[in-house]
Amino acid sequence: MTRFRLLGLAVAATVLTLGSCAAGSSDDPGSSGLGSSGSVPTLRVDVLDRRPHDPTAFTQGLEIADGALLEGTGLVGRSYVTARDLDTGAELARADLPATMFGEGITVVGDTVWQLTWRDQVAFARDRTTLRERARVAYDGEGWGLCAQPDRLVMSDGSSTLTFRDPATFAVRGTVDVTLDDRRVDRLNELECTADGMVYANVWQTTDIVRIDPASGAVVAVIDASGLLTEADAAEADVLNGIAAIPGTDRFLITGKLYPTIFDVRFVS
């Protein structure tokens, strides 16, 4: 199963051998994965505004902190993390990963930005302002998505399991399996933790986002985010990936790998 579309990239031959988390198959503008459930609501995306997004950015993580929009990207030799002014889009800081590494999800805790790698089993701790590397921490397994709650980090690895980690040491504190209608929901990818204690997760290779109660692992809502892109844009883009809650509002910024647009949205019934 490939995780990206070639698009003439110079790194295509390298990435094709990876065959896993970092990209996606086709992102048909009308496709959706989980479908409706009788036990939880299915929400839709109400688009309030649009802003430009770098169509070469292979988005793995998106987060808003202190008026900046942080984004982590993937692909071997092309992975980096940036901080941009939320209003103007001006780049404030940037850090490239080592050329051999494949970047994944990011989150902010205090004055630290944590950044995952896919199969390199290394998490980077970075300065929140400059994005300079402070430390590297080893972990087992794959890294996909990451978000922060007040007392812990929440991490996905492409399965149905969320792993809770210490926000200072990255040590494992526990796990929970995510389920919908008593069935495990796997391919959990980019994560966003919100002020109400919920966790939002992209479901890889779909246009679905699930809202998860991390105390039980239960999916409490499914968001159908299909139809955001025009057919022309979808033909050049990859999968939906990237969720950032806008502080103090009920709105989110969402985007995808190689998307030309970031969407300012609400999730509504």
Short mmCIF file of all heavy atoms in Angstrom, two decimals, residues 145-207:
data_model
loop_
_atom_site.label_atom_id
_atom_site.label_comp_id
_atom_site.label_asym_id
_atom_site.label_seq_id
_atom_site.Cartn_x
_atom_site.Cartn_y
_atom_site.Cartn_z
N GLY A 145 0.88 10.34 14.81
CA GLY A 145 0.33 11.60 15.27
C GLY A 145 0.67 11.86 16.73
O GLY A 145 0.98 10.94 17.49
N LEU A 146 0.57 13.15 17.13
CA LEU A 146 0.91 13.54 18.50
C LEU A 146 0.12 14.78 18.88
O LEU A 146 -0.04 15.70 18.07
CB LEU A 146 2.41 13.85 18.58
CG LEU A 146 3.03 14.01 19.96
CD1 LEU A 146 3.02 12.69 20.72
CD2 LEU A 146 4.47 14.52 19.83
N CYS A 147 -0.40 14.78 20.11
CA CYS A 147 -1.03 15.99 20.64
C CYS A 147 -0.83 16.02 22.16
O CYS A 147 -0.39 15.03 22.76
CB CYS A 147 -2.51 16.10 20.27
SG CYS A 147 -3.62 14.89 21.04
N ALA A 148 -1.14 17.15 22.77
CA ALA A 148 -0.84 17.36 24.19
C ALA A 148 -2.10 17.69 24.98
O ALA A 148 -2.85 18.59 24.61
CB ALA A 148 0.18 18.47 24.35
N GLN A 149 -2.29 16.96 26.07
CA GLN A 149 -3.28 17.29 27.09
C GLN A 149 -2.55 17.94 28.26
O GLN A 149 -1.31 17.95 28.28
CB GLN A 149 -4.04 16.04 27.50
CG GLN A 149 -4.87 15.46 26.37
CD GLN A 149 -5.76 14.31 26.80
OE1 GLN A 149 -5.32 13.40 27.49
NE2 GLN A 149 -7.01 14.34 26.37
N PRO A 150 -3.26 18.50 29.23
CA PRO A 150 -2.57 19.24 30.29
C PRO A 150 -1.48 18.46 31.02
O PRO A 150 -0.47 19.04 31.43
CB PRO A 150 -3.72 19.61 31.24
CG PRO A 150 -4.91 19.72 30.36
CD PRO A 150 -4.73 18.64 29.33
N ASP A 151 -1.66 17.14 31.18
CA ASP A 151 -0.70 16.37 31.97
C ASP A 151 -0.05 15.22 31.21
O ASP A 151 0.65 14.41 31.81
CB ASP A 151 -1.38 15.82 33.23
CG ASP A 151 -2.54 14.89 32.90
OD1 ASP A 151 -2.99 14.89 31.73
OD2 ASP A 151 -3.00 14.17 33.80
N ARG A 152 -0.28 15.13 29.89
CA ARG A 152 0.28 14.01 29.15
C ARG A 152 0.24 14.29 27.66
O ARG A 152 -0.50 15.15 27.19
CB ARG A 152 -0.48 12.72 29.45
CG ARG A 152 -1.93 12.76 29.01
CD ARG A 152 -2.69 11.51 29.46
NE ARG A 152 -4.08 11.54 29.00
CZ ARG A 152 -4.98 10.58 29.27
NH1 ARG A 152 -4.63 9.53 30.00
NH2 ARG A 152 -6.22 10.68 28.81
N LEU A 153 1.04 13.51 26.93
CA LEU A 153 0.99 13.51 25.48
C LEU A 153 0.16 12.32 25.02
O LEU A 153 0.08 11.30 25.70
CB LEU A 153 2.39 13.40 24.88
CG LEU A 153 3.40 14.47 25.26
CD1 LEU A 153 4.76 14.16 24.62
CD2 LEU A 153 2.93 15.86 24.88
N VAL A 154 -0.46 12.45 23.85
CA VAL A 154 -1.21 11.36 23.24
C VAL A 154 -0.59 11.11 21.87
O VAL A 154 -0.42 12.03 21.07
CB VAL A 154 -2.71 11.72 23.09
CG1 VAL A 154 -3.48 10.50 22.57
CG2 VAL A 154 -3.30 12.21 24.41
N MET A 155 -0.26 9.85 21.62
CA MET A 155 0.47 9.49 20.40
C MET A 155 -0.23 8.35 19.66
O MET A 155 -0.76 7.42 20.28
CB MET A 155 1.90 9.05 20.77
CG MET A 155 2.76 8.56 19.63
SD MET A 155 4.44 8.19 20.22
CE MET A 155 5.04 7.14 18.90
N SER A 156 -0.25 8.43 18.33
CA SER A 156 -0.78 7.34 17.51
C SER A 156 0.37 6.68 16.75
O SER A 156 1.42 7.29 16.52
CB SER A 156 -1.83 7.86 16.52
OG SER A 156 -1.24 8.76 15.60
N ASP A 157 0.14 5.42 16.34
CA ASP A 157 1.17 4.69 15.61
C ASP A 157 0.61 3.99 14.37
O ASP A 157 1.23 3.07 13.83
CB ASP A 157 1.86 3.68 16.52
CG ASP A 157 0.91 2.61 17.05
OD1 ASP A 157 -0.28 2.59 16.66
OD2 ASP A 157 1.36 1.78 17.87
N GLY A 158 -0.56 4.42 13.90
CA GLY A 158 -1.18 3.82 12.73
C GLY A 158 -2.10 2.67 13.03
O GLY A 158 -2.78 2.17 12.14
N SER A 159 -2.16 2.26 14.28
CA SER A 159 -3.06 1.19 14.69
C SER A 159 -4.31 1.80 15.32
O SER A 159 -4.61 2.99 15.13
CB SER A 159 -2.35 0.27 15.70
OG SER A 159 -2.18 0.94 16.94
N SER A 160 -5.04 1.02 16.11
CA SER A 160 -6.19 1.53 16.85
C SER A 160 -5.80 1.98 18.26
O SER A 160 -6.67 2.37 19.04
CB SER A 160 -7.26 0.44 16.96
OG SER A 160 -6.75 -0.68 17.66
N THR A 161 -4.53 1.93 18.59
CA THR A 161 -4.06 2.23 19.94
C THR A 161 -3.57 3.67 20.05
O THR A 161 -2.80 4.13 19.19
CB THR A 161 -2.92 1.28 20.33
OG1 THR A 161 -3.40 -0.06 20.30
CG2 THR A 161 -2.41 1.58 21.74
N LEU A 162 -3.99 4.36 21.10
CA LEU A 162 -3.39 5.62 21.50
C LEU A 162 -2.49 5.36 22.70
O LEU A 162 -2.89 4.66 23.64
CB LEU A 162 -4.46 6.65 21.87
CG LEU A 162 -5.40 7.11 20.76
CD1 LEU A 162 -6.41 8.11 21.29
CD2 LEU A 162 -4.62 7.71 19.58
N THR A 163 -1.29 5.91 22.66
CA THR A 163 -0.33 5.75 23.75
C THR A 163 -0.17 7.08 24.48
O THR A 163 0.03 8.12 23.85
CB THR A 163 1.04 5.29 23.21
OG1 THR A 163 0.88 4.03 22.56
CG2 THR A 163 2.06 5.15 24.33
N PHE A 164 -0.27 7.03 25.81
CA PHE A 164 -0.10 8.21 26.64
C PHE A 164 1.36 8.28 27.10
O PHE A 164 1.93 7.28 27.56
CB PHE A 164 -1.05 8.18 27.83
CG PHE A 164 -2.50 8.01 27.43
CD1 PHE A 164 -3.21 6.90 27.82
CD2 PHE A 164 -3.11 8.95 26.63
CE1 PHE A 164 -4.54 6.73 27.46
CE2 PHE A 164 -4.43 8.80 26.24
CZ PHE A 164 -5.15 7.68 26.65
N ARG A 165 1.96 9.46 27.00
CA ARG A 165 3.37 9.63 27.32
C ARG A 165 3.59 10.83 28.24
O ARG A 165 2.82 11.79 28.22
CB ARG A 165 4.19 9.81 26.03
CG ARG A 165 4.22 8.57 25.15
CD ARG A 165 5.12 8.74 23.94
NE ARG A 165 5.24 7.50 23.18
CZ ARG A 165 6.12 6.54 23.42
NH1 ARG A 165 6.99 6.69 24.42
NH2 ARG A 165 6.15 5.45 22.68
N ASP A 166 4.66 10.74 29.00
CA ASP A 166 5.05 11.84 29.88
C ASP A 166 5.48 13.04 29.02
O ASP A 166 6.28 12.88 28.10
CB ASP A 166 6.19 11.40 30.78
CG ASP A 166 6.54 12.44 31.82
OD1 ASP A 166 7.25 13.40 31.46
OD2 ASP A 166 6.10 12.30 32.97
N PRO A 167 4.96 14.22 29.31
CA PRO A 167 5.27 15.37 28.45
C PRO A 167 6.70 15.88 28.59
O PRO A 167 7.17 16.64 27.73
CB PRO A 167 4.27 16.44 28.91
CG PRO A 167 3.93 16.06 30.31
CD PRO A 167 3.98 14.57 30.35
N ALA A 168 7.41 15.47 29.64
CA ALA A 168 8.79 15.90 29.82
C ALA A 168 9.79 14.85 29.38
O ALA A 168 10.79 15.16 28.72
CB ALA A 168 9.05 16.25 31.29
N THR A 169 9.52 13.57 29.69
CA THR A 169 10.48 12.51 29.41
C THR A 169 10.12 11.65 28.21
O THR A 169 10.94 10.89 27.72
CB THR A 169 10.62 11.58 30.63
OG1 THR A 169 9.39 10.87 30.81
CG2 THR A 169 10.96 12.38 31.88
N PHE A 170 8.89 11.70 27.78
CA PHE A 170 8.34 10.90 26.68
C PHE A 170 8.14 9.43 27.09
O PHE A 170 7.83 8.58 26.25
CB PHE A 170 9.22 10.98 25.42
CG PHE A 170 8.43 10.98 24.15
CD1 PHE A 170 7.62 12.05 23.81
CD2 PHE A 170 8.49 9.91 23.27
CE1 PHE A 170 6.88 12.06 22.62
CE2 PHE A 170 7.76 9.90 22.10
CZ PHE A 170 6.96 10.99 21.78
N ALA A 171 8.26 9.13 28.37
CA ALA A 171 8.05 7.76 28.83
C ALA A 171 6.57 7.37 28.70
O ALA A 171 5.68 8.21 28.86
CB ALA A 171 8.48 7.63 30.29
N VAL A 172 6.31 6.09 28.43
CA VAL A 172 4.95 5.60 28.28
C VAL A 172 4.24 5.58 29.64
O VAL A 172 4.79 5.07 30.63
CB VAL A 172 4.95 4.18 27.67
CG1 VAL A 172 3.54 3.60 27.65
CG2 VAL A 172 5.54 4.21 26.27
N ARG A 173 3.03 6.09 29.66
CA ARG A 173 2.20 6.08 30.87
C ARG A 173 1.00 5.16 30.77
O ARG A 173 0.38 4.85 31.78
CB ARG A 173 1.70 7.49 31.17
CG ARG A 173 2.73 8.44 31.72
CD ARG A 173 2.05 9.75 32.08
NE ARG A 173 2.91 10.68 32.76
CZ ARG A 173 2.52 11.90 33.14
NH1 ARG A 173 1.26 12.30 32.88
NH2 ARG A 173 3.34 12.70 33.75
N GLY A 174 0.65 4.75 29.56
CA GLY A 174 -0.50 3.87 29.39
C GLY A 174 -0.98 3.90 27.96
O GLY A 174 -0.44 4.63 27.11
N THR A 175 -1.99 3.09 27.68
CA THR A 175 -2.56 3.01 26.33
C THR A 175 -4.07 2.85 26.43
O THR A 175 -4.61 2.49 27.48
CB THR A 175 -1.99 1.82 25.53
OG1 THR A 175 -2.34 0.61 26.20
CG2 THR A 175 -0.49 1.92 25.39
N VAL A 176 -4.74 3.11 25.30
CA VAL A 176 -6.17 2.84 25.19
C VAL A 176 -6.46 2.44 23.74
O VAL A 176 -5.83 2.97 22.82
CB VAL A 176 -7.02 4.06 25.61
CG1 VAL A 176 -6.87 5.22 24.64
CG2 VAL A 176 -8.49 3.69 25.77
N ASP A 177 -7.37 1.49 23.55
CA ASP A 177 -7.81 1.10 22.21
C ASP A 177 -9.02 1.94 21.81
O ASP A 177 -9.95 2.12 22.61
CB ASP A 177 -8.17 -0.38 22.16
CG ASP A 177 -6.96 -1.28 22.14
OD1 ASP A 177 -5.93 -0.87 21.56
OD2 ASP A 177 -7.02 -2.39 22.71
N VAL A 178 -9.02 2.43 20.59
CA VAL A 178 -10.10 3.27 20.08
C VAL A 178 -11.12 2.39 19.36
O VAL A 178 -10.75 1.59 18.48
CB VAL A 178 -9.55 4.35 19.14
CG1 VAL A 178 -10.68 5.15 18.51
CG2 VAL A 178 -8.60 5.26 19.90
N THR A 179 -12.38 2.55 19.72
CA THR A 179 -13.44 1.70 19.15
C THR A 179 -14.64 2.53 18.73
O THR A 179 -14.92 3.60 19.28
CB THR A 179 -13.91 0.65 20.17
OG1 THR A 179 -14.44 1.31 21.34
CG2 THR A 179 -12.77 -0.27 20.59
N LEU A 180 -15.35 2.00 17.74
CA LEU A 180 -16.62 2.54 17.28
C LEU A 180 -17.57 1.37 17.09
O LEU A 180 -17.25 0.44 16.34
CB LEU A 180 -16.44 3.30 15.96
CG LEU A 180 -17.71 3.79 15.25
CD1 LEU A 180 -18.47 4.78 16.11
CD2 LEU A 180 -17.36 4.39 13.89
N ASP A 181 -18.71 1.41 17.76
CA ASP A 181 -19.66 0.29 17.70
C ASP A 181 -18.98 -1.03 18.04
O ASP A 181 -19.18 -2.06 17.38
CB ASP A 181 -20.31 0.20 16.31
CG ASP A 181 -21.15 1.42 15.98
OD1 ASP A 181 -21.64 2.07 16.93
OD2 ASP A 181 -21.31 1.73 14.79
N ASP A 182 -18.13 -0.99 19.08
CA ASP A 182 -17.42 -2.18 19.57
C ASP A 182 -16.42 -2.75 18.58
O ASP A 182 -15.96 -3.88 18.73
CB ASP A 182 -18.42 -3.28 19.98
CG ASP A 182 -19.33 -2.85 21.12
OD1 ASP A 182 -18.83 -2.16 22.03
OD2 ASP A 182 -20.52 -3.20 21.09
N ARG A 183 -16.06 -1.98 17.56
CA ARG A 183 -15.04 -2.38 16.61
C ARG A 183 -13.86 -1.42 16.70
O ARG A 183 -14.06 -0.21 16.83
CB ARG A 183 -15.58 -2.38 15.17
CG ARG A 183 -16.62 -3.45 14.89
CD ARG A 183 -17.16 -3.33 13.47
NE ARG A 183 -18.01 -2.15 13.30
CZ ARG A 183 -17.68 -1.09 12.61
NH1 ARG A 183 -16.50 -0.99 12.02
NH2 ARG A 183 -18.53 -0.07 12.50
N ARG A 184 -12.67 -1.95 16.64
CA ARG A 184 -11.49 -1.11 16.71
C ARG A 184 -11.37 -0.24 15.46
O ARG A 184 -11.65 -0.69 14.35
CB ARG A 184 -10.23 -1.96 16.87
CG ARG A 184 -10.14 -2.66 18.22
CD ARG A 184 -8.82 -3.38 18.37
NE ARG A 184 -8.72 -4.02 19.67
CZ ARG A 184 -7.65 -4.67 20.11
NH1 ARG A 184 -6.58 -4.78 19.32
NH2 ARG A 184 -7.64 -5.22 21.31
N VAL A 185 -10.98 1.00 15.67
CA VAL A 185 -10.74 1.93 14.57
C VAL A 185 -9.23 2.08 14.41
O VAL A 185 -8.57 2.69 15.25
CB VAL A 185 -11.39 3.30 14.85
CG1 VAL A 185 -11.10 4.28 13.70
CG2 VAL A 185 -12.89 3.15 15.07
N ASP A 186 -8.69 1.51 13.35
CA ASP A 186 -7.24 1.59 13.16
C ASP A 186 -6.89 2.69 12.16
O ASP A 186 -7.74 3.47 11.74
CB ASP A 186 -6.67 0.24 12.75
CG ASP A 186 -7.22 -0.25 11.41
OD1 ASP A 186 -8.03 0.45 10.79
OD2 ASP A 186 -6.81 -1.36 11.00
N ARG A 187 -5.63 2.77 11.82
CA ARG A 187 -5.07 3.79 10.91
C ARG A 187 -5.25 5.20 11.49
O ARG A 187 -5.39 6.18 10.75
CB ARG A 187 -5.66 3.69 9.52
CG ARG A 187 -5.37 2.35 8.83
CD ARG A 187 -5.95 2.30 7.43
NE ARG A 187 -7.41 2.34 7.47
CZ ARG A 187 -8.17 2.50 6.39
NH1 ARG A 187 -7.61 2.66 5.20
NH2 ARG A 187 -9.49 2.53 6.48
N LEU A 188 -5.23 5.30 12.82
CA LEU A 188 -5.29 6.63 13.45
C LEU A 188 -4.00 7.37 13.13
O LEU A 188 -2.91 6.86 13.33
CB LEU A 188 -5.48 6.50 14.95
CG LEU A 188 -6.76 5.78 15.40
CD1 LEU A 188 -6.76 5.60 16.91
CD2 LEU A 188 -8.01 6.53 14.94
N ASN A 189 -4.13 8.60 12.65
CA ASN A 189 -2.97 9.33 12.14
C ASN A 189 -2.80 10.63 12.92
O ASN A 189 -2.64 10.60 14.13
CB ASN A 189 -3.14 9.55 10.63
CG ASN A 189 -1.83 9.81 9.93
OD1 ASN A 189 -0.77 9.92 10.53
ND2 ASN A 189 -1.89 9.91 8.60
N GLU A 190 -2.82 11.77 12.26
CA GLU A 190 -2.63 13.06 12.91
C GLU A 190 -3.67 13.27 14.01
O GLU A 190 -4.85 12.95 13.85
CB GLU A 190 -2.73 14.17 11.85
CG GLU A 190 -3.30 15.50 12.27
CD GLU A 190 -2.35 16.38 13.07
OE1 GLU A 190 -1.42 15.86 13.69
OE2 GLU A 190 -2.56 17.60 13.08
N LEU A 191 -3.21 13.80 15.16
CA LEU A 191 -4.06 13.99 16.33
C LEU A 191 -4.15 15.47 16.71
O LEU A 191 -3.21 16.23 16.48
CB LEU A 191 -3.51 13.21 17.53
CG LEU A 191 -3.28 11.71 17.38
CD1 LEU A 191 -2.70 11.14 18.67
CD2 LEU A 191 -4.58 11.00 17.01
N GLU A 192 -5.27 15.83 17.33
CA GLU A 192 -5.42 17.14 17.94
C GLU A 192 -6.16 16.99 19.26
O GLU A 192 -7.26 16.42 19.30
CB GLU A 192 -6.18 18.10 17.03
CG GLU A 192 -6.43 19.48 17.63
CD GLU A 192 -5.17 20.34 17.75
OE1 GLU A 192 -4.06 19.87 17.41
OE2 GLU A 192 -5.29 21.51 18.18
N CYS A 193 -5.54 17.44 20.34
CA CYS A 193 -6.18 17.46 21.66
C CYS A 193 -6.86 18.81 21.85
O CYS A 193 -6.28 19.85 21.55
CB CYS A 193 -5.14 17.25 22.76
SG CYS A 193 -4.30 15.66 22.74
N THR A 194 -8.08 18.79 22.36
CA THR A 194 -8.84 20.03 22.53
C THR A 194 -9.11 20.31 24.01
O THR A 194 -8.96 19.43 24.87
CB THR A 194 -10.16 19.97 21.76
OG1 THR A 194 -10.86 18.76 22.08
CG2 THR A 194 -9.90 20.00 20.26
N ALA A 195 -9.52 21.54 24.30
CA ALA A 195 -9.66 21.99 25.68
C ALA A 195 -10.73 21.23 26.46
O ALA A 195 -10.71 21.21 27.69
CB ALA A 195 -9.97 23.50 25.70
N ASP A 196 -11.67 20.60 25.76
CA ASP A 196 -12.72 19.83 26.43
C ASP A 196 -12.28 18.40 26.76
O ASP A 196 -13.10 17.59 27.22
CB ASP A 196 -14.00 19.81 25.59
CG ASP A 196 -13.80 19.18 24.22
OD1 ASP A 196 -12.68 18.75 23.90
OD2 ASP A 196 -14.79 19.12 23.45
N GLY A 197 -11.02 18.08 26.53
CA GLY A 197 -10.50 16.77 26.87
C GLY A 197 -10.61 15.74 25.78
O GLY A 197 -10.15 14.60 25.95
N MET A 198 -11.19 16.10 24.65
CA MET A 198 -11.34 15.16 23.55
C MET A 198 -10.08 15.11 22.68
O MET A 198 -9.25 16.01 22.71
CB MET A 198 -12.54 15.53 22.68
CG MET A 198 -13.89 15.46 23.40
SD MET A 198 -14.38 13.76 23.86
CE MET A 198 -14.08 13.79 25.63
N VAL A 199 -9.98 14.04 21.88
CA VAL A 199 -8.90 13.88 20.92
C VAL A 199 -9.53 13.68 19.54
O VAL A 199 -10.40 12.82 19.37
CB VAL A 199 -8.00 12.68 21.25
CG1 VAL A 199 -6.96 12.47 20.16
CG2 VAL A 199 -7.31 12.89 22.61
N TYR A 200 -9.10 14.47 18.58
CA TYR A 200 -9.54 14.33 17.20
C TYR A 200 -8.43 13.63 16.42
O TYR A 200 -7.24 13.92 16.61
CB TYR A 200 -9.83 15.68 16.57
CG TYR A 200 -11.07 16.35 17.12
CD1 TYR A 200 -11.07 16.97 18.36
CD2 TYR A 200 -12.26 16.36 16.39
CE1 TYR A 200 -12.21 17.58 18.88
CE2 TYR A 200 -13.41 16.96 16.88
CZ TYR A 200 -13.38 17.56 18.13
OH TYR A 200 -14.51 18.16 18.63
N ALA A 201 -8.81 12.70 15.54
CA ALA A 201 -7.82 11.94 14.77
C ALA A 201 -8.25 11.80 13.33
O ALA A 201 -9.39 11.43 13.05
CB ALA A 201 -7.63 10.55 15.39
N ASN A 202 -7.33 12.10 12.42
CA ASN A 202 -7.53 11.70 11.02
C ASN A 202 -7.45 10.19 10.91
O ASN A 202 -6.60 9.57 11.56
CB ASN A 202 -6.45 12.31 10.12
CG ASN A 202 -6.67 13.76 9.80
OD1 ASN A 202 -5.89 14.61 10.23
ND2 ASN A 202 -7.71 14.07 9.06
N VAL A 203 -8.31 9.61 10.10
CA VAL A 203 -8.22 8.18 9.79
C VAL A 203 -7.55 8.08 8.42
O VAL A 203 -8.12 8.49 7.41
CB VAL A 203 -9.61 7.51 9.79
CG1 VAL A 203 -9.47 6.01 9.48
CG2 VAL A 203 -10.29 7.71 11.14
N TRP A 204 -6.34 7.53 8.41
CA TRP A 204 -5.52 7.53 7.21
C TRP A 204 -6.21 6.85 6.04
O TRP A 204 -6.89 5.84 6.21
CB TRP A 204 -4.18 6.85 7.51
CG TRP A 204 -3.28 6.76 6.34
CD1 TRP A 204 -2.82 7.79 5.57
CD2 TRP A 204 -2.74 5.57 5.77
NE1 TRP A 204 -2.03 7.32 4.55
CE2 TRP A 204 -1.96 5.95 4.66
CE3 TRP A 204 -2.84 4.21 6.10
CZ2 TRP A 204 -1.28 5.03 3.86
CZ3 TRP A 204 -2.16 3.29 5.31
CH2 TRP A 204 -1.39 3.71 4.21
N GLN A 205 -6.01 7.44 4.89
CA GLN A 205 -6.58 7.00 3.61
C GLN A 205 -8.08 7.22 3.52
O GLN A 205 -8.74 6.67 2.64
CB GLN A 205 -6.25 5.53 3.32
CG GLN A 205 -4.80 5.31 2.95
CD GLN A 205 -4.56 3.91 2.42
OE1 GLN A 205 -5.04 2.93 2.99
NE2 GLN A 205 -3.80 3.82 1.35
N THR A 206 -8.64 8.04 4.40
CA THR A 206 -10.04 8.41 4.30
C THR A 206 -10.14 9.92 4.49
O THR A 206 -9.18 10.60 4.83
CB THR A 206 -10.91 7.73 5.38
OG1 THR A 206 -10.75 8.42 6.65
CG2 THR A 206 -10.54 6.27 5.56
N THR A 207 -11.33 10.45 4.28
CA THR A 207 -11.61 11.85 4.60
C THR A 207 -12.40 11.94 5.90
O THR A 207 -13.12 12.90 6.14
CB THR A 207 -12.38 12.53 3.46
OG1 THR A 207 -13.52 11.74 3.12
CG2 THR A 207 -11.50 12.69 2.24
#
